[in-house]
Amino acid sequence: MKLGVIGVGNAGSKIVDKMVEFESLTNRKLCRHVMVINTARTDLTKPDHIPEDRRILIGDTHQKAKGHGVGGDVDVGAEVAKNDMDEIRRAFDDVDIHEVDAILVCASLGGGTGSGAGPVVINELQKMYDEPVYGLGVLPGKYEGGRPALNAARSLQSFVNNTDNFIAFDNDAWRSKDQTVGEGYEGMNRELATRIVTLLGAGEYDEPTIAENAMDSSDIIRTLDTDGISSIGYASTSVDNSDGFMKRFREDHEIEDSSNSAAKINGLVRRAVNSRLTLPCEPSSADRALIVLSGPPSELSRKGLESAREWIENEVDTVEVLAGDDPRENANALSAVVLLSNVTQTPRIEAIQEQAVAAQEKIAEQEAVREEEIADLITDKDGKIDPVI
Ligand code: GDP
């Protein structure tokens, strides 16, 4: 699929950057237009693969932002984006988003800019373009505390209500305890970019490629067209893609080899569904599913794909399972990506909502007594001392 990709906020921009890096490393052609939008000038200097003129600073004249971010305040994030809508619209016009199949907006939901400005940007994109607009959102980990959970619970509603599909990534599930925060994010962003680019980049090549079961962007759009929340599973195995001995060996053992390939593919797809999903969920609660098998053409087997499709149909208990190949001549791995669309049983989302409700109550309690507490603190016991003014 041909994609316009927009990162909003710090994490959103880093994820877009990683997507562009992964697609150039693997010779894919997914991100036709890229842009990042932020309220923090310093964060806009972080991406390595986004052209300078595709980095948009908003809110630099806003009293609470002034180019330094919005301090995790989702309402300020939304306000800044609304105030600077003309500038955002102009940036879209300059980029002239055309000939794309869909637009993807990436953001984290736990901060202020991505979670607040993201939905405002999405709203505008929905008005400006006929193509589907998808969200890719990072959910904060439990360990981050109540405020990010509250931001995320509020922003999730806005993202899901305003996108054609929302693909979720759960920091809680992907955190590695023996890494620094920076290393951890770098690794998580790479994992996410690998999944999203392998999935959405299927079927896009420099030169026309004839494949029997080729994945088509309409299959991806069909699977995502549920208005719900999605999760992605992924598994890969390295393959010997050298031309010589292995190829001759395969030709000599063609029949045996084709049943081996089929079993390998079936196993790989099962592994993808049973792996750590971008959002942990119950696969059987999904409405639709899609399998993309990516690797050297010699490794792709129709029989394998068919039996994997059948397995998912039973596992997910839906008849809406599409499957396709994404042949990559020079790939040295065979990868299976499984998109589970409109999953409804996801304990993490419930947990975030509970944490958010508790945080909201605590904030309200603290606000109610704050003035009284300050007055108590600064006045002497018998009220004998007066203020200067
Ligand atoms: P914003 O610029 O105000 O939108 O703020 P951030 O994007 O930094 O949002 C903070 C949230 O994003 C927290 O939940 C962080 O854990 C998470 N976060 C920050 N950077 C990254 C990243 O590179 N990868 C991931 N997966 N999460 C991140």
Side-chain angles (χ1 to χ4, degrees), residues 8-15 37-40 43 46 69-73 107-116 138-141 143-144 148 169-171 174 181-182 184-186 188-189 192:
V8 187
N10 173 36
S13 306
K14 285 190 277 174
I15 291 164
I37 300 174
N38 214 323
T39 58
D43 286 346
K46 288 181 189 169
V70 297
D73 190 326
S108 76
L109 271 53
T113 302
S115 62
V138 174
L139 303 177
Y143 56 91
E144 293 183 46
F169 182 88
D170 177 28
N171 272 1
W174 286 84
V181 175
Y185 284 154
E186 169 91 13
M188 289 195 257
N189 296 349
L192 178 56

Side-chain angles (χ1 to χ4, degrees), residues 257-273:
D257 193 53
S258 87
S259 66
N260 277 350
S261 303
K264 189 163 157 188
I265 286 166
N266 201 319
L268 200 63
V269 170
R270 286 175 191 231
R271 194 142 68 74
V273 174

Side-chain angles (χ1 to χ4, degrees), residues 207-277:
E207 288 166 16
T209 299
I210 301 157
E212 210 182 335
N213 306 301
M215 179 52 69
D216 192 80
S217 59
S218 61
D219 295 339
I220 304 173
I221 290 173
R222 161 87 195 149
T223 310
L224 286 170
D225 188 21
T226 56
D227 290 335
I229 298 179
S230 293
S231 182
I232 302 172
Y234 174 87
S236 88
T237 181
S238 53
V239 292
D240 186 337
N241 194 15
S242 55
D243 266 336
F245 172 72
M246 280 307 286
K247 198 169 177 189
R248 281 201 307 281
F249 180 81
R250 271 199 203 101
E251 281 161 6
D252 289 348
H253 297 77
E254 216 161 273
I255 296 171
E256 192 188 330
D257 193 53
S258 87
S259 66
N260 277 350
S261 303
K264 189 163 157 188
I265 286 166
N266 201 319
L268 200 63
V269 170
R270 286 175 191 231
R271 194 142 68 74
V273 174
N274 294 319
S275 69
R276 182 160 38 162
L277 301 170

